[in-house]
Amino acid sequence: MRENHFQQKNYKNYLYSGFLGILFRWQHKMLSPKIYKNCEKILEIGPGFEPNLKFTKLNFKEYYCLELNQNIDHEDYYKKNFPNIKFNTYDGKSIKFEDNYFDRIIISHTLEHILDFENFLIEMLRVLKKGSVISIASPCDNGLLWRLGRYMLKKTYHKYKKTSEIDYDYLIAKEHVNTIFQIISVLKKNFHIVDETYLPFRFKIIDLNLIHICHVMKK
């Protein structure tokens, strides 16, 4: 669902080089502050080829990753590079674990892809233990700075990579089905946010930042 020819070919280099590389590595560190680094059972949803564990030292007994795409490249990649991670796939709606199983859930740049993300958040809370957190990172799409950054990337990086502007716009239109305004509105209305920050400028204004990070606690 999240993968296509453009993403398979460019996604890793696109997000983890240059300024974006600095920003995304910073995001991973902010996503796992010291208070959440010691958890026995951790679930990460939608990490692609870049799990949080790659950038932040975490202490755990069990670490699971769930991916929508059943591309064998993902599974082989995890077996080779992260043998301590248990890799599984899921259908984007249900998580095949028992209630109250995990001590922490990490989900980075994934909620914007999920059509019924509110019910999926409820499903995540189901498999999370009481008093534990879901750590969430989302792009500030459709904020002003995010749109400006996307325009600049179309005129520089994607032009250099010979990706047509219409193909890139189509990809974003199909994949980013939820804006940051929708995500934050749902989170603040129905879930208990215990911490919230923005990158790169930290002040809480969507239009002047690129990434939103928060931690939702199960009460």
Side-chain angles (χ1 to χ4, degrees):
M1 184 182 295
R2 291 179 57 195
E3 296 289 312
N4 53 40
H5 179 72
F6 169 79
Q7 286 176 300
Q8 290 174 1
K9 189 175 181 181
N10 296 301
Y11 192 69
K12 188 174 179 181
N13 291 334
Y14 166 58
L15 290 183
Y16 290 90
S17 61
F19 170 73
L20 280 181
I22 295 171
L23 182 65
F24 270 77
R25 286 176 174 82
W26 184 15
Q27 170 210 276
H28 279 291
K29 293 185 183 300
M30 295 295 293
L31 197 58
S32 290
K34 187 175 181 180
I35 189 174
Y36 301 131
K37 286 188 175 181
N38 298 314
C39 296
E40 286 195 2
K41 296 178 181 178
I42 300 174
L43 172 65
E44 184 168 4
I45 300 173
F49 294 104
E50 308 291 342
N52 185 253
L53 183 62
K54 180 177 179 179
F55 305 95
T56 307
K57 182 176 175 56
L58 301 174
N59 299 314
F60 59 89
K61 289 185 178 179
E62 298 177 22
Y63 197 108
Y64 295 84
C65 280
L66 291 184
E67 263 297 335
L68 277 173
N69 194 322
Q70 299 186 26
N71 191 328
I72 194 65
D73 289 346
H74 277 90
E75 189 170 359
D76 288 347
Y77 176 80
Y78 275 81
K79 286 180 180 178
K80 180 180 179 181
N81 295 282
F82 302 100
N84 54 342
I85 289 179
K86 300 178 181 180
F87 180 84
N88 293 283
T89 58
Y90 75 116
D91 62 3
K93 297 178 181 180
S94 60
I95 301 172
K96 304 300 184 182
F97 286 91
E98 62 189 47
D99 295 356
N100 308 307
Y101 187 82
F102 292 103
D103 300 287
R104 184 176 176 224
I105 296 176
I106 301 168
I107 181 165
S108 174
H109 292 259
T110 298
L111 286 183
E112 67 272 18
H113 300 277
I114 298 174
L115 286 172
D116 191 2
F117 75 94
E118 183 175 3
N119 278 330
F120 189 68
L121 281 164
I122 294 170
E123 173 70 354
M124 283 191 279
L125 286 178
R126 179 187 66 78
V127 300
L128 188 69
K129 293 179 181 177
K130 185 177 180 180
S132 297
V133 299
I134 304 171
S135 299
I136 303 167
S138 302
C140 288
D141 176 17
N142 202 18
L144 177 62
L145 187 61
W146 196 96
R147 297 200 312 272
L148 177 62
R150 191 180 101 183
Y151 176 80
M152 293 175 63
L153 283 168
K154 283 198 301 183
K155 299 299 182 182
T156 55
Y157 179 87
H158 296 303
K159 185 176 181 180
Y160 170 74
K161 291 293 184 179
K162 295 182 170 43
T163 303
S164 74
E165 292 188 14
I166 191 63
D167 284 344
Y168 181 62
D169 286 339
Y170 179 78
L171 167 69
I172 296 298
K174 292 286 288 184
E175 295 294 322
H176 283 206
V177 296
N178 307 305
T179 71
I180 189 61
F181 299 99
Q182 293 169 295
I183 292 171
I184 291 178
S185 294
V186 169
L187 287 171
K188 289 187 174 181
K189 173 65 176 178
N190 295 320
F191 301 91
H192 180 54
I193 298 175
V194 292
D195 188 34
E196 182 181 28
T197 190
Y198 290 81
L199 298 178
F201 298 116
R202 306 296 290 273
F203 38 80
K204 295 182 178 181
I205 301 175
I206 292 173
D207 284 315
L208 299 182
N209 283 283
L210 295 172
I211 295 175
H212 174 261
I213 297 170
C214 71
H215 303 278
V216 171
M217 180 175 287
K218 180 177 180 178
K219 296 193 290 184

